[in-house]
Amino acid sequence: MDTNEIKRRMNSGEIYYENAEESLKYSMILHSFNQLEPEKSQKRREYLEKLFGEIGANTYIEQPLHANWGKNTFLGDNVYANFNLTLVDDTRIEIHDDTMIGPNVTIITGTHPLDSSLRRNNAQYNLPVTIEENVWIGAGAIILPGTHIGKNSIIGAASLVTQNIPENVLAYGSPCKVIKEID
C-alpha cells in the first residue's frame, strides 16, 4: 500500500497498516520539546507550532507531552494541558478554545479490529475526537476514539469516555455518564 493510500485510510475510518517512516520527524520534535528547560517559553512555543496541526494563542502544554504524531491535533486559543497529556492522534483530534486538561489525560483516535488475524498483522483504524470549547477534563480521564464532548461540559477525574457527551453537563465514571446538567 503506498503512502498516499495509507494517509487516506488513516483519516477515513478504514483499516490500514501503518508505515512508521514519517512519524520519526514528529517524534524528534516531541523529544526536543520535552527536553527543554521550563523557562524557555519561546522555544517551547516554536516546537509546538512545528508539532501540532494548529495551536492557538495563549495555549500552554506542560512537559512531558506524548503523541503518536502531533500533526493531527488541532488546539484552539487558551487551551491548558497539564503534564503527561497523551495524544494517540493517528487521525484528527480537535480541542477547542478555553479547554482545561488535567494531568495524565489520554485522548485516543486509533483502535484495532476485532478480527485477530488482522490484529496479528498490526491492522488498525481511526475515529476522530472532538472536544468543544470551555471543557474541563479531570485528571486521568481517557477519551476513546470517535467521541465528541460538547461545550461547557466537565469530565470528572479518572473517567472513561466511551460515547458522546452533550454540552453543559457534568459527566464522570467508567464508563462516563451524564450526572447532571450545568446551568
Side-chain angles (χ1 to χ4, degrees), residues 27 30 34 41-42 46 54 56 58 65 71 84 89 92 105 122 124-125 130 140 158:
S27 294
L30 185 60
N34 283 327
S41 60
Q42 181 59 38
E46 289 172 18
E54 185 175 295
N58 302 313
L65 166 66
K71 71 174 185 171
N84 282 327
D89 65 337
R92 192 174 184 95
V105 168
N122 297 318
Q124 75 175 68
Y125 64 98
T130 301

Side-chain angles (χ1 to χ4, degrees), residues 36-47:
L36 279 175
E37 294 84 8
E39 73 274 4
K40 294 195 174 175
S41 60
Q42 181 59 38
K43 193 68 173 169
R44 289 166 55 98
R45 177 69 189 198
E46 289 172 18
Y47 281 125

Side-chain angles (χ1 to χ4, degrees), residues 20 33 38 82 84 110 125 131 133 138:
F33 168 80
N82 212 320
N84 282 327
Y125 64 98
I131 300 168
E133 66 187 41

Side-chain angles (χ1 to χ4, degrees), residues 23 44 74-76 122 133 136 149:
S23 69
R44 289 166 55 98
F74 298 80
L75 301 150
N122 297 318
E133 66 187 41
W136 173 19
I149 300 172

Side-chain angles (χ1 to χ4, degrees), residues 24-172:
L24 179 60
K25 169 187 167 186
Y26 294 96
S27 294
M28 291 171 58
I29 295 168
L30 185 60
H31 176 76
S32 296
F33 168 80
N34 283 327
Q35 301 309 309
L36 279 175
E37 294 84 8
E39 73 274 4
K40 294 195 174 175
S41 60
Q42 181 59 38
K43 193 68 173 169
R44 289 166 55 98
R45 177 69 189 198
E46 289 172 18
Y47 281 125
L48 292 176
E49 287 174 356
K50 290 178 186 175
L51 182 68
F52 290 125
E54 185 175 295
I55 182 167
N58 302 313
T59 290
Y60 190 84
I61 311 292
E62 297 283 357
Q63 298 159 297
L65 166 66
H66 311 280
N68 279 23
W69 294 90
K71 71 174 185 171
N72 296 319
T73 299
F74 298 80
L75 301 150
D77 296 336
N78 305 309
V79 172
Y80 173 79
N82 212 320
F83 57 85
N84 282 327
L85 173 62
T86 298
L87 302 167
V88 182
D89 65 337
D90 292 310
T91 196
R92 192 174 184 95
I93 294 175
E94 291 181 20
I95 302 172
H96 294 209
D97 298 347
D98 304 307
T99 293
M100 295 189 316
I101 300 172
N104 300 309
V105 168
T106 301
I107 303 171
I108 304 167
T109 65
T111 190
H112 301 278
L114 296 177
D115 182 332
S116 64
S117 65
L118 292 172
R119 282 196 320 275
R120 191 173 299 116
N121 292 313
N122 297 318
Q124 75 175 68
Y125 64 98
N126 308 313
L127 300 169
V129 171
T130 301
I131 300 168
E132 290 190 8
E133 66 187 41
N134 200 33
V135 169
W136 173 19
I137 300 171
I142 300 172
I143 301 168
L144 293 182
T147 55
H148 183 113
I149 300 172
K151 68 181 180 178
N152 303 317
S153 288
I154 298 169
I155 305 299
S159 292
L160 178 62
V161 180
T162 61
Q163 61 187 358
N164 293 342
I165 302 297
E167 60 186 49
N168 300 307
V169 298
L170 168 64
Y172 56 81

